[in-house]
Structure formats: structure tokens, C-alpha cells
Amino acid sequence: MKRLTVMVAACATLTLMVYCQNNHKSATEPVRISGTVGESADVFPKYCQHFDSSDAADDIELRSIAVAGGDVYVAGTEYNGSRAVAKYWKNGRETILSDVSRPAYAYSIALSGDDIYVAGSETELLKSYAVYWRNGRLVTLTDGEHPAAVYSIAVAGGSVYAAGYESNGASRVARIWRNGVPRSLTDGKRHACINAITVAGNDVYAAGFENDGERDVAKYWKNGKETKLSDASSGSTCAMAIAVDGGDVHAAGFEIIAGRYIAKYWKNGAEVRLTGASKKTAAYGVCVSDGDVYLTGTEWADGENRIAVMWKNGVRTAISDGARWSEARAIAVSDGAVCVAGFEMSASSYVGTYWKDGVATTISGASRDAGCHAIAIADGNVYVAGYEYNGIHAVAKFWKNGLSATLLNGYYSSANAIAAKGEDVYAAGNIRPETDNMIAAFWKNGEMKMLSDGSSNSEAHSIAVSDGAIHVVGFEFNGTKSVAKHWKNGHGTDLTDGARNAGAYSVFVSGDDVYVAGFENNTVRHVAKYWKNGAVRAITDGTKDAVAYSITVVEGNIYVAGYETHRELKVAKYWRNGVATVLSDGTRHAYASSIAVSGNDVYAVGCEETDGISAAKCWKNGAETSLTSGRHSGYATSVTVAGGDVYIAGYEHNGKKYVAKYWKNGTEVRLTNTDNLYAL
């Protein structure tokens, strides 16, 4: 049986509709796979550390619930075998919020009129961003230089209030963003976090904790003025939820004494006794309706088994029957109906579950996915690299003319690039053995070579073979920053000095020259760059975020594809000898992930997002063609041209999972069996 790594929710709560909140147990912040950037995980409270999604393949965890007009909305995260995907469900029907190419987490949901707001975090390379989505459209609140997340969101009087934390490099600072403008509630000398926010009239209330140097102290803030909920004689305490009704302030959370969790409820700062709280319990959500106070949380039963419970006016009731592990994380009451969100254990996975008046509805797993990351043509054969989920984790694979070969099966792996020379097939990607770190690797004819020792995170994104030399590029973490790397025959060379985050995504060899595309941060923005034989050239001026994902050289002309932001939206572009061609109109997120040139024609592929759904795109000489319908998310990841034919690799969701595929001259070829739930 899989074990829940975070028992007590990471110290973070989600605001709910009708003044209701719950907690979150988020996934790991970057360093890509585990740990935090620029901070020691040992300093931040154990119960506030983030959940490592590497062991959570196929899990769904619901963290927030809201009810309006009889409709039930829940927000949470689904782990698809390779990374976390932020989602919400309306009456059980899912909406994917995030681009599945990078991890994202949904912690809170709020409704305002016809608008749906979901708060969370998103990671890219070594950056962690505090974000929220409005009707599926991403709003980024931080620059990613330090870890940040939004754990709770509320909308009132036309203003959007997002609450959580942002690190200052040494400690996490409790923070509220009103319409995107940040306000710190703590001075940043010690760790603090806001887990819940609500607005009553003109007053803004937030709940969370701040460390006092010895222990964590539960607090709430009214218009920035703090009220302590526990004293120095207590153990560590944390407020996970807050609700305001008739001028009364209700907060829920827990206390830890000698490793034992005890559910807590405070009214106007004074503790109110809960029945059954003498057992090992934790409270994560609170709601007030018609004068009745509802709390929800978890009770440890025999051994380590857990039961979803709720309290109404202090009296405990079990929500689940205890037959299998379950937890309740959020509660809302509307028109007398009591709705609770959480999850239950089923076999070895967590199944998203919400209960309406005690009747359970499950959100079934749908994202056992497959993906194609790269494509190559050699001697008339079509080679595609990617991954496929095997029911436990993602495994690196390649397909030759549609027939699959598994590169590694014992633990998580993914193939990100592929090349073929004669009878030899080369692939580059990442593996994660029994370690917290991702390891860059490449394969030649199925034989693997690791490119780092696993002491820190590293990733391989592209491979090229020329005159018997194997070139791989990616990045390696140096303890504080990611360093762009070039490995030749397994021997690494740093492309950047490690003072700022950087990464390499593409390599191309022309004669004796080696070209690499990627980015380097300038302390404020990502700058798209390429390197020729190690000498760097900036493609963009650094005033806007930009990344180069692909590079090719034809007759001395250098073509680079990627994106540059405009008004915080990613705009797909390619550059020929440094001169930009804009591919998307800038009204929605888009990027170009790969480029190829044949004769006078320039092909770029990528995706463009509309209302939270990505459509795979191909641009030929700047003219756009959609490869997918836009009904479900699709991604084009790699393009090559051979014998006049255009081959594009990618993947598309079919309503149940992602299906690996490629397109030849626009005609789809599926690589995974859509009837097999174990195919990703």
C-alpha cells in the first residue's frame, strides 16, 4: 500500500466558497523533482513541506470545494505518471488548467458570478511561481526567482485576493496579493505562511502560522493585524482555515505535541473543545451556515489508517466508514447540503472523492498518459522518443515505425530526444532511480549511460551524433542554480558559470561546429540564447522572458525557435540569424518547441492555449495549421522533414488519457493503444 508522505497537510489552506477553506498537501517545489531552491528543507516545518509527487502516479487529490446553484466544484491535482497536473471538476467533469509539460498544482477554488478562480503554483525548470487561473487563463504573480505558491483565493467587490507565501531566499514570507499587488504580513525573519483567506465586508482575514524561533504559532490576521491563536506553552500549531460570520472569526487547524496531532478550533481567538479530538486528529476546513459551525479533517484510527471526519458545532461524525484510508480536506454548505472534498485510498492510488450529505462521488483517474517528445527519420524509418505509463510510473520508450521498445522499466524514466545513424539508435532523457534526484542519461541501442552521479538534479533534453561523437545537452543543478550543460561522449562542459539559472534544450552539429539553444536568467528575466562552440550569443534583450527550445543551421543560417513574452503572455517565435518572426498573435499563451528547414520552407511546431486547452500547431513560413481540434489538449513537440514529407511528434488527450502520436503530412499515426488504460 502506498503511503501518504505528508500526514498533516502542508501548512497551507484553500479558501472555499461560502467562507470555507481547506488545506493543501502540495507537490514538491523545484529543484524540478524534490527539495526547494535556496532553502534548506530541514528548516521549514516537516508538516509544511511539500509532497513529493514522484510516488504518486495516477493519484488524484482534491483540496478545495465550492457549491453554487446546486453545482459542486472541486479543485486539486492529478499525477499522470510523470508530473502533476492542475485541474478542477464541475459535477465530476474535469477541466485541465495547466500545460502538462511542466508540473502544476491546484489548491483552492472560488466562484464569483460566472467566473471560476483556481489558485496554485506552477514550476518550470528551477523556478516556482505563485499563480491562479481565471476561467482557465493563467495569471502569474511572482517572477520565480524564489519559491512561491498561492494556497487560497477569494473574490470580493471586484477584487481578487490570493494568499500564500513567497520566499525571500532565507525564509518564507506570508503574503497576500490583491489584484496582483503583493503585501507581506510578516517581516521575513522566520518562516511563515498564509493557508486561508476570506473577505467580510471591507475586512480581509487570513489564517496561517509564523515561527517564533522555537515553534510554529497559529495566527490569523485582520487587515494585516495579527492575532495569536496559541501561546508559548503549546506545541507547534497551525491554522489551516478561516471563516467569518456575524463578526465572529472561526479558525481551524491543529497542534502537534510530541509528534501527536490534535485538531483545533478557535472562535474569536479562544479555543473551543471538539469531541473526539483527544484522538490523533487534524482539522483542515471550516464553514459557517445558518449559525452552525462545520469543520472537517482527518482522524487516525487503528495503526496508520485514517478516516475522514467532520464536526458540527463541535460534535464529531465520521464521513467514511473506515474500510479504507480516507481524508477530508475542505467543506462547504449550500442550501442545507453539506459537501466535503478529499480522497480515499483505492488499491495503491489515491482517488479524488467528494461527499454530498455523506454520499461519496469519486473522480476517477484519467491521466495514465503517453507522450512523444522527439522524432527522427533515417533510411525511411520513423523513430519517435517519449514515455509510456506502465501502471506504476512512466518509462522511457522509443518507437520505430510504430513498434515500441522500452529503454528502462525499473523506475521512472523518460526519453526526450532521439537520433539514428545507420543501424544505431540514440536517445537522451532522464531517469530517477531510488533517489530524490533526476539524472540525465542517454542510450545507444538500448544501453544506458548516466551523465551525472545523481548527487544533484540533472536533465538531458537533446541529442545529436556526428562523426561518431555523441552530443547531449541539458542542465545540472550546482546546489543553488541550474547550469546549462553540453556533454560530448559523456564528458560534461558547463555553458554557463552557475551564477544564474540556465538550461540547454537543443543541440545541432554542422561540420565542426556545435550549436546549442536554451536560456540564461539575468536575475529578473529569462534571456533566449544560443552557443556556438561554447561562445554565447543573446537572441533577446532581457527585458521580457524568453526561451529558445530548438536550433538548426542551414547553409550558414541559424534558425532558433521558442517564445518571448508580451504582457506576460508567451508569444511563439522563431529567429533567423537573430531576426524574429512572430508566429502567434499574443492574445493567448503559445510557444514553438521545434524548428526544421527544407529548401525555402521553415517549419515550426508547438502549441497555443485557448481557455485552458492547448492545441498542437504547425507554422509553415508563418502560416498556422492546427493539428488537433482543441476539444482536448494536444501538443506538438518535434518536427523533421525527410524526402519532402513533414513529420511531427506529440501527444493528445482523448478524454481519458494522453495518447502518443505523430503526424505525417498532417495525418495522425497513433503509437499507444487508446483502449489500454496502461498506455500513456
Side-chain angles (χ1 to χ4, degrees):
M1 176 178 285
K2 190 180 296 179
R3 212 171 189 157
L4 189 62
T5 352
V6 172
M7 172 41 246
V8 193
C11 221
T13 326
L14 320 176
T15 303
L16 305 181
M17 191 64 176
V18 207
Y19 301 124
C20 303
Q21 292 82 15
N22 90 328
N23 101 300
H24 102 293
K25 176 195 75 171
S26 84
T28 309
E29 296 172 357
V31 179
R32 195 71 164 180
I33 301 303
S34 63
T36 54
V37 179
E39 298 182 47
S40 167
D42 292 333
V43 176
F44 204 55
K46 295 296 183 183
Y47 55 84
C48 296
Q49 289 180 18
H50 282 198
F51 178 58
D52 186 348
S53 63
S54 65
D55 294 326
D58 204 37
D59 289 351
I60 299 176
E61 298 173 1
L62 304 184
R63 296 297 170 190
S64 182
I65 191 167
V67 182
D71 296 318
V72 179
Y73 299 78
V74 290
T77 302
E78 183 168 7
Y79 302 92
N80 68 6
S82 59
R83 49 180 51 90
V85 182
K87 298 184 176 186
Y88 76 87
W89 292 260
K90 178 182 177 180
N91 300 325
R93 183 175 181 179
E94 77 171 11
T95 294
I96 298 173
L97 296 169
S98 58
D99 177 344
V100 297
S101 65
R102 54 187 178 270
Y105 314 97
Y107 306 137
S108 178
I109 191 166
L111 311 176
S112 178
D114 294 328
D115 295 322
I116 302 170
Y117 297 81
V118 179
S121 65
E122 190 170 51
T123 67
E124 185 175 14
L125 196 60
L126 295 179
K127 288 195 167 190
S128 173
Y129 301 85
V131 304
Y132 70 86
W133 294 265
R134 179 184 177 185
N135 300 325
R137 186 164 182 170
L138 180 69
V139 177
T140 304
L141 297 172
T142 58
D143 62 10
E145 278 305 293
H146 297 295
V150 178
Y151 294 144
S152 185
I153 193 164
V155 184
S159 293
V160 180
Y161 299 84
Y165 79 90
E166 185 175 15
S167 174
N168 61 11
S171 298
R172 302 190 184 193
V173 182
R175 186 156 288 176
I176 293 173
W177 293 264
R178 180 181 177 183
N179 298 328
V181 178
R183 178 187 181 185
S184 297
L185 297 187
T186 56
D187 60 13
K189 295 179 180 178
R190 298 185 177 92
H191 282 304
C193 183
I194 299 175
N195 300 321
I197 190 168
T198 193
V199 181
N202 296 320
D203 298 318
V204 180
Y205 298 82
F209 81 96
E210 184 177 18
N211 191 274
D212 68 0
E214 295 184 5
R215 61 182 60 82
D216 300 318
V217 179
K219 297 182 176 183
Y220 78 84
W221 292 262
K222 178 181 177 181
N223 301 324
K225 183 178 180 180
E226 74 171 39
T227 296
K228 292 183 180 180
L229 297 174
S230 59
D231 57 33
S233 64
S234 305
S236 284
T237 54
C238 187
M240 304 304 299
I242 192 166
V244 179
D245 180 70
D248 293 322
V249 181
H250 306 265
F254 51 81
E255 181 179 11
I256 305 174
I257 299 177
R260 182 183 182 87
Y261 294 91
I262 302 172
K264 294 290 182 178
Y265 160 52
W266 299 272
K267 180 178 179 181
N268 298 324
E271 182 180 337
V272 178
R273 184 177 179 275
L274 298 173
T275 63
S278 59
K279 297 182 179 180
K280 193 174 181 181
T281 52
Y284 300 130
V286 64
C287 184
V288 183
S289 179
D290 294 331
D292 295 318
V293 180
Y294 299 81
L295 290 86
T296 195
T298 299
E299 176 183 299
W300 280 253
D302 297 333
E304 287 298 309
N305 191 34
R306 294 166 198 173
I307 300 173
V309 297
M310 63 170 282
W311 292 266
K312 179 180 179 181
N313 299 325
V315 179
R316 171 200 173 278
T317 300
I319 299 171
S320 58
D321 60 12
R324 53 186 180 177
W325 180 315
S326 62
E327 299 201 27
R329 298 293 181 162
I331 189 167
V333 179
S334 179
D335 296 327
V338 180
C339 301
V340 176
F343 47 91
E344 287 190 304
M345 174 72 76
S346 177
S348 61
S349 295
Y350 297 110
V351 178
T353 305
Y354 68 87
W355 295 265
K356 184 175 181 179
D357 292 330
V359 178
T361 296
T362 60
I363 306 294
S364 59
S367 296
R368 294 184 169 185
D369 306 331
C372 294
H373 295 146
I375 193 166
I377 312 296
D379 299 327
N381 297 308
V382 181
Y383 298 86
V384 179
Y387 72 92
E388 186 173 9
Y389 183 56
N390 66 1
I392 302 173
H393 44 64
V395 296
K397 305 191 83 165
F398 76 87
W399 291 263
K400 179 181 179 180
N401 300 325
L403 298 177
S404 68
T406 299
L407 293 170
L408 189 66
N409 207 4
Y411 35 80
Y412 169 85
S413 57
S414 180
N416 299 327
I418 195 163
K421 289 286 185 180
E423 297 296 319
D424 297 321
V425 180
Y426 304 82
N430 316 312
I431 67 170
R432 184 196 278 166
E434 301 302 320
T435 175
D436 286 337
N437 295 324
M438 194 77 84
I439 300 173
F442 74 87
W443 293 263
K444 178 181 179 180
N445 299 326
E447 183 176 342
M448 184 181 71
K449 179 177 177 62
M450 292 190 297
L451 296 172
S452 69
D453 61 8
S455 60
S456 62
N457 282 293
S458 60
E459 293 191 12
H461 289 287
S462 183
I463 191 167
V465 181
S466 178
D467 294 332
I470 303 170
H471 300 267
V472 179
V473 299
F475 79 86
E476 187 169 17
F477 191 60
N478 68 4
T480 58
K481 304 293 181 183
S482 62
V483 180
K485 299 278 290 194
H486 168 218
W487 293 271
K488 181 178 179 181
N489 296 328
H491 300 289
T493 299
D494 293 345
L495 296 174
T496 55
D497 62 11
R500 302 178 180 91
N501 284 321
Y505 290 110
S506 179
V507 61
F508 185 87
V509 181
S510 177
D512 295 329
D513 297 320
V514 179
Y515 298 82
V516 178
F519 80 95
E520 186 175 17
N521 193 270
N522 64 5
T523 72
V524 178
R525 300 286 187 182
H526 285 347
V527 182
K529 296 185 175 185
Y530 73 84
W531 293 261
K532 178 181 177 181
N533 302 324
V536 65
R537 176 177 176 177
I539 303 170
T540 57
D541 63 10
T543 59
K544 304 171 184 176
D545 275 314
V547 174
Y549 286 129
S550 180
I551 190 167
T552 191
V553 180
V554 178
E555 297 179 353
N557 296 305
I558 301 170
Y559 298 82
V560 178
Y563 76 83
E564 186 174 20
T565 59
H566 177 66
R567 295 178 179 173
E568 302 306 320
L569 290 173
K570 294 179 180 178
V571 180
K573 294 185 176 185
Y574 77 83
W575 294 263
R576 181 180 184 264
N577 300 325
V579 179
T581 294
V582 178
L583 300 174
S584 60
D585 64 11
T587 60
R588 55 185 69 88
H589 282 297
Y591 61 86
S593 55
S594 182
I595 193 166
V597 179
S598 178
N600 295 321
D601 296 320
V602 180
Y603 299 86
V605 301
C607 72
E608 187 171 35
E609 182 181 300
T610 302
D611 295 330
I613 297 176
S614 294
K617 299 285 185 178
C618 174
W619 294 271
K620 179 182 178 181
N621 302 324
E624 172 192 306
T625 299
S626 294
L627 300 170
T628 56
S629 67
R631 180 182 178 188
H632 300 294
S633 285
Y635 302 86
T637 55
S638 179
V639 62
T640 191
V641 183
D645 295 316
V646 181
Y647 298 83
I648 300 170
Y651 49 100
E652 184 180 12
H653 203 275
N654 67 359
K656 295 182 178 179
K657 58 189 169 295
Y658 284 94
V659 178
K661 58 181 64 178
Y662 71 88
W663 294 265
K664 179 180 178 181
N665 300 325
T667 301
E668 168 191 298
V669 178
R670 298 185 182 184
L671 296 174
T672 50
N673 178 4
T674 58
D675 294 326
N676 176 6
L677 289 178
Y678 292 94
L680 297 189

